[in-house]
Each structure stands twice: as C-alpha cells, then as structure tokens.
Amino acid sequence: MNEKQCAVFVYALAILFLTISCDSIEIKGPVSQEKRVPHIDPDYVNLVIPPNIAPLNFLVNEDGKAFVAKIYGKLGYAIKVSANDGKIIIPLQKWKKLLQQNIGQEYYCDIFVKDDAGEWKQYETIKNRIADEKIDGYLAYRLINPAFKYWNKMGLYQRNLETFKENPIMTNRLTDGNCMNCHNFCLNDPSYMVFHMRAGKGSGTYIAVDGKWSKVSLKTEFNKGGAYPSWHPNKNLIAFSVNSLKMFYHAVGESRDVLDTQSDIIVYDIGKNMITASPKIAAADRMETFPAWSADGRYLYFCAADPLESYIDPRTKDLAYDKILYDLMRVEYNDETGEWGELETVISAKESGKSAIIPRPSPDNKYVMFCVVDYGSFSIYHKESDLYMYDVATREYYPLSVNSDETDSFHSWSANARWFVFTSKRRDGFFSRPFFAYIDETGKVYKPFVLPQKDPGFYKTFLINYNVPELVRGPVEIKPQKLRKVAYDNTKMIKATLDPNVKPKKNRGSEQESMYKAKP
C-alpha cells in the first residue's frame, strides 16, 4: 500500500468511526420546541433540488454539544445522522434511495440540538422539494486563484454532481503555467468541447469532435485567436469573439477592471477548417463580443457597443470607460446556405442605461439569460452584476429572483432547460461559487443553492474561485496527460484558413490604444 492509499484508508476509517460513534447519540428526556427553523450552512432550506444531486451536507449553526438530524420523505425509511460538531454528513447511498423514492414530493429534515445543560430542543422542520427532472450529471469549471499575482496556478475540472468526485480535465502545471480558459460544449455533450490555452508552447485552441481532440490555430490575416466560444447545434460551426482585453485598476472599491478595446465575431467551420465572418456583424463601427447560438441554430445572439474612439474626449484624450454600454443583439443564420440575415437589436443599452452581456439561450428556445452591469463587458469584477431573462415570445426582459447584493454572473443551462448554474460571490463578497436553480414550465425560478460538498465547512477554507461553470451530460473522458501530448505536438497542429470572401483588415487595437489615456 503506497502513501496515498494509506492516507485514504486512514481517512475512511476515521469517517467510519465518526459515523458509528455519532449514530450512538440518543435523544433522551423532554424535548423543548423552538418556533423557527435552525440556522444551517449552506442554506439548504425551502429549495427545489434535482433527484440526482449529491447529499446536501450542512453545518448546524446553533450552540450545542450534540446534534441529531432526521431526514425523511413520505415514502421509505428515515435517515438519522448525528454529530458532536454540528456537521451533518448524509450517507450517499441512503440519500440516493430517499430521493428516488420521493421524486416529485417534499422531503423533510428535523434538527435536534443538545445544549450545555443537557437539555434537548427541536427546531421547526426544514422542507425541500425533489423535482421530477434531473440535472445534467456533471459540472465543468475553471479553478483559479482570485489574487492576480497567482493566476498562473489554474486548471479545468469536472465534478460528478451525483457524488463528490472531482477530476481534472487539464491543469496548467502540465503546460508550464500558461493560461487556459473559455471552455464550452455543444448541447451539453462532453464529447464536443472547446477551450483555449494561451502563451507558451501549448498555445492554441483545443477542439474535441466526437471525443477526438485537435489543436487548432485560429489566427489568420483577418483575426487573432478567438475567445468566448459558442457551438452551433449542427456540431460543425463554432462562433468566437476576437478581443483585445486590458486589465486596469481602481484605487477604491474593487481594485480590478477589464476594458475591451476592440472586438469582432468570427465563425470557425470545422469541416472546412475555415474562418469566416459576416460583414454585418464584424463591422469596424462597432465592438462585438459574447456570441451565443440559439438551440435551434437559427439565431446568433451577441453583444455590441460603439467603437472605443467614440468614448474618448478628443481634447483631453480621456477615455470614459464607465460609459461603454453593450446592446444585446441577434442575427438570423441559415447553416445550409451560410447566409446571414439582418441585424436586430434585442435590448437597447441607450434605452436601459445598462450594459447587457453574456447571453445564453435556453435549450428549449424560450429564453435568453444574460447579465446586466453598469458598464463594460467583464461582469466578474462588477458587484452590481445581476442575471436577467429575456422572453423570446413576449420580447420582455426582467431580473431573476436568484440575484444577490454581490456579483452574480457566468451562467449555463442544463440540457432539459429545467436547471441552470451560475457563479455568485454572495457567501463572502470575494469568492465565486457555483449555485444551481430550478425553473419550471411556467418560467418561475426557485431559490438557488450552492454546489454540495462532502465537508459542510468546505467553502470556509477553499480560497479558490470557481469560474465559468458549464453543465454537461457526462464526463470528459480524456486524461490531462493525453491532452498534454496534443498540446506539445505542434507538428499536428491545424492552421485555420481564411474564407476568400472575407477581406483582411487593419488591426484597430494598436491605433486605439494610442488614442486614449487613463483617467487620473
């Protein structure tokens, strides 16, 4: 038995002993009634949860020296969990059975706490409902340090949502500490994935088609490497934005901010290995970003703002970066003929006074979820960032009830359009955590809950950000070591060609950067 196996064995024995000893706690004598639900962390109260989610383990935040939780539904047996430290860790198999026996119904949790005087008290019953519809079984995300100095320690990971198992898809310790980002899937299918590596020998765009990986250079005379990808449902086209992002800093409040100085949208045809673009979208008089195909492939949604020079004072050269606002737009597309329709403004920034960014159409084509911020296009540094919903049929939009006073951003849908995930800093105002929410057939959205962890105290000590959570129907099968071989074998890298109908243009980014200066 090696050192790692030994450590796992010792940990398993410790958990087993804790379970046996804690289950021996018995409630004896009179029990007083508290007329409120107990304080628990995470806040797993009044939820709608998937029937295939991992146990919602929690910490009872009440003073006491012994704790008992009784978890039960209308059918099946109750689960009894007890602890001396308030950590309620629910056995996985018993939890799965409880959920399956009570799909579509409520389940309940009674909490008993023994105080220092030896008296027991019972709190009001916690009630949650188990939805009929499952959530996609996996979540893919990037883990990245919130401190910009340590950004070079990052990786793409996947978590089995039915258990607590997490595996790396790729980590940059295997690729000389380069940046990796912008992961995306086609119709929640793990065998159709794209992500980027930037800088170093592994630099390139990595595309999996039916589980087969290729390294592609998207650079042409028209564009540099792409970002913010979105797969067309035909599995052959990927839309990218081409951005020139600049980080800058504030002296007060959130220190970091990001400015997009120039951006366009391109489309990569995998079968033809060709970059193309619509002149109606990739226009010089506008900055376009965040492309997102509708689930039927009929529309490409994106965000657009006036060119950077329109925000520069010609006399002082000051840039009014906090006045840059993005419209939510869309354009019709025929993937059989490759013809583009006319541009359509879905939400006007001039009318709303806000910036609409990161559109994500729902898989049932009913909605488009997006973020609203005061200005710009980089929501994770904006405390005011909230999630909004656009109703495609009524053309109305509204804020979602899941919003908090902290940053709510980067969202994605489950394949059945009944669940979505987003990141939020609501727990502490600093770290991004994945939250899930249920949306019913009428469009009603229910209270969100944080990604369950085996240790209820996990989020108090895990000082890393979850970034861009994507719901996936299964695991990404490739191992990081195999992806590293793809990354470092540049002899097999595919170099994209440019559509002959697209004319190269002069790079506007360097010109614009010399046109403005930062505000004092």
Side-chain angles (χ1 to χ4, degrees):
M1 182 180 293
N2 60 34
E3 183 178 344
K4 183 177 180 181
Q5 290 172 325
C6 183
V8 172
F9 179 71
V10 171
Y11 178 74
L13 282 179
I15 292 296
L16 177 61
F17 175 78
L18 178 63
T19 303
I20 292 174
S21 61
C22 288
D23 282 349
S24 65
I25 295 176
E26 297 293 337
I27 301 171
K28 297 180 180 179
V31 178
S32 62
Q33 302 295 316
E34 289 288 321
K35 295 182 178 180
R36 63 175 176 86
V37 296
H39 298 294
I40 67 171
D41 184 40
D43 180 18
Y44 293 146
V45 180
N46 295 327
L47 305 177
V48 177
I49 68 169
N52 60 324
I53 196 71
L56 302 188
N57 297 335
F58 59 88
L59 174 68
V60 181
N61 278 335
E62 302 288 350
D63 293 333
K65 62 181 183 180
F67 305 82
V68 175
K70 180 183 177 183
I71 306 165
Y72 56 98
K74 293 181 180 179
L75 300 175
Y77 295 99
I79 303 172
K80 179 188 173 185
V81 181
S82 50
N84 292 316
D85 58 1
K87 288 187 176 182
I88 304 301
I89 300 175
I90 307 167
L92 177 60
Q93 295 306 318
K94 290 183 179 180
W95 170 260
K96 285 185 175 182
K97 188 173 182 180
L98 173 72
L99 296 190
Q100 291 304 309
Q101 289 175 327
N102 293 277
I103 289 178
Q105 302 184 69
E106 285 187 329
Y107 80 91
Y108 312 96
C109 182
D110 293 332
I111 303 293
F112 302 83
V113 178
K114 186 179 182 180
D115 62 24
D116 292 337
E119 300 289 333
W120 284 95
K121 62 180 71 174
Q122 179 181 359
Y123 292 83
E124 288 185 357
T125 300
I126 294 172
K127 299 178 182 180
N128 293 320
R129 181 164 67 86
I130 305 164
D132 291 302
E133 304 93 340
K134 290 184 176 183
I135 195 170
D136 292 344
Y138 279 76
L139 185 71
Y141 43 83
R142 181 171 67 160
L143 293 179
I144 183 170
N145 198 298
F148 64 89
K149 184 177 179 180
Y150 301 103
W151 67 268
N152 59 342
K153 296 180 180 179
M154 69 173 71
L156 301 180
Y157 293 81
Q158 55 187 340
R159 161 73 185 272
N160 186 335
L161 294 181
E162 299 183 7
T163 68
F164 299 106
K165 188 175 182 180
E166 178 186 76
N167 288 316
I169 298 173
M170 190 62 183
T171 63
N172 72 348
R173 64 183 175 83
L174 295 175
T175 53
D176 302 317
N178 66 341
C179 182
M180 51 185 60
N181 54 16
C182 295
H183 51 282
N184 186 256
F185 300 86
C186 183
L187 302 174
N188 305 71
D189 187 340
S191 62
Y192 287 82
M193 181 183 179
V194 60
F195 74 95
H196 302 299
M197 288 195 208
R198 304 190 188 280
K201 189 175 180 180
S203 181
T205 299
Y206 295 81
I207 301 175
V209 175
D210 198 20
K212 297 179 180 179
W213 286 87
S214 298
K215 180 181 179 181
V216 182
S217 172
L218 298 177
K219 296 179 181 179
T220 71
E221 309 94 290
F222 179 78
N223 63 279
K224 58 181 181 179
Y228 306 131
S230 176
W231 284 82
H232 191 279
N234 68 10
K235 298 184 177 181
N236 186 56
L237 303 175
I238 308 177
F240 296 90
S241 62
V242 181
N243 308 79
S244 293
L245 300 176
K246 302 295 180 183
M247 178 174 279
F248 63 103
Y249 301 89
H250 300 293
V252 179
E254 168 61 63
S255 60
R256 295 163 293 182
D257 211 339
V258 173
L259 173 68
D260 197 349
T261 62
Q262 182 262 333
S263 56
D264 287 310
I265 289 177
I266 60 174
V267 175
Y268 177 56
D269 187 311
I270 300 173
K272 296 180 180 179
N273 185 36
M274 181 181 293
I275 294 290
T276 188
S278 166
K280 297 178 181 178
I281 304 175
D285 61 348
R286 194 173 51 243
M287 298 188 292
E288 304 91 357
T289 188
F290 294 121
W293 293 104
S294 60
D296 58 7
R298 182 182 174 188
Y299 290 99
L300 180 67
Y301 288 85
F302 62 97
C303 304
D306 292 335
L308 193 68
E309 56 263 29
S310 63
Y311 300 97
I312 300 173
D313 187 318
R315 182 178 57 84
T316 64
K317 303 298 183 182
D318 285 339
L319 171 65
Y321 63 85
D322 54 354
K323 302 299 182 183
I324 300 175
L325 301 179
Y326 284 79
D327 298 320
L328 177 58
M329 305 187 70
R330 73 177 185 181
V331 60
E332 197 166 6
Y333 180 73
N334 187 324
D335 68 317
E336 293 183 357
T337 63
E339 294 180 351
W340 298 91
E342 297 300 319
L343 296 180
E344 178 184 351
T345 300
V346 178
I347 297 174
S348 168
K350 291 182 179 179
E351 294 179 4
S352 68
K354 300 285 185 178
S355 196
I357 55 175
I358 319 179
R360 300 302 295 266
S362 64
D364 58 7
N365 289 305
K366 288 184 178 181
Y367 307 104
V368 178
M369 194 181 302
F370 61 100
C371 286
V372 169
V373 293
D374 286 347
Y375 66 88
S377 63
F378 216 75
S379 59
I380 61 173
Y381 296 148
H382 286 247
K383 182 177 180 178
E384 82 283 357
S385 177
D386 281 334
L387 296 177
Y388 276 63
M389 194 83 88
Y390 172 75
D391 188 310
V392 175
T394 66
R395 301 200 170 194
E396 296 177 343
Y397 67 97
Y398 48 89
L400 294 182
S401 59
V402 300
N403 291 321
S404 69
D405 293 333
E406 299 292 341
T407 305
D408 299 306
S409 179
F410 283 115
H411 41 286
S412 76
W413 294 87
S414 66
N416 60 10
R418 285 292 171 263
W419 301 93
F420 62 88
V421 63
F422 63 99
T423 60
S424 179
K425 297 182 180 180
R426 68 187 61 196
R427 285 186 60 86
D428 50 33
F430 193 70
F431 295 101
S432 296
R433 307 304 191 198
F435 281 77
F436 304 92
Y438 177 70
I439 175 171
D440 66 21
E441 63 278 0
T442 69
K444 180 180 178 180
V445 176
Y446 292 77
K447 180 180 175 179
F449 62 94
V450 73
L451 173 68
Q453 302 289 349
K454 189 170 187 178
D455 179 1
F458 175 85
Y459 292 114
K460 294 182 179 180
T461 58
F462 188 69
L463 308 182
I464 304 294
N465 273 329
Y466 287 81
N467 183 238
V468 192
E470 292 277 339
L471 285 164
V472 201
R473 289 185 278 123
V476 178
E477 297 291 354
I478 195 168
K479 299 293 185 182
Q481 292 76 12
K482 188 172 181 179
L483 260 179
R484 184 184 186 278
K485 291 181 179 180
V486 177
Y488 277 42
D489 187 359
N490 285 328
T491 63
K492 295 182 180 179
M493 183 172 66
I494 300 170
K495 293 186 178 182
T497 60
L498 181 63
D499 184 341
N501 296 315
V502 176
K503 295 181 179 180
K505 63 183 181 181
K506 189 176 181 181
N507 190 309
R508 293 183 281 124
S510 58
E511 293 178 356
Q512 291 174 332
E513 289 171 27
S514 65
M515 290 175 60
Y516 69 87
K517 65 180 181 179
K519 290 183 178 180

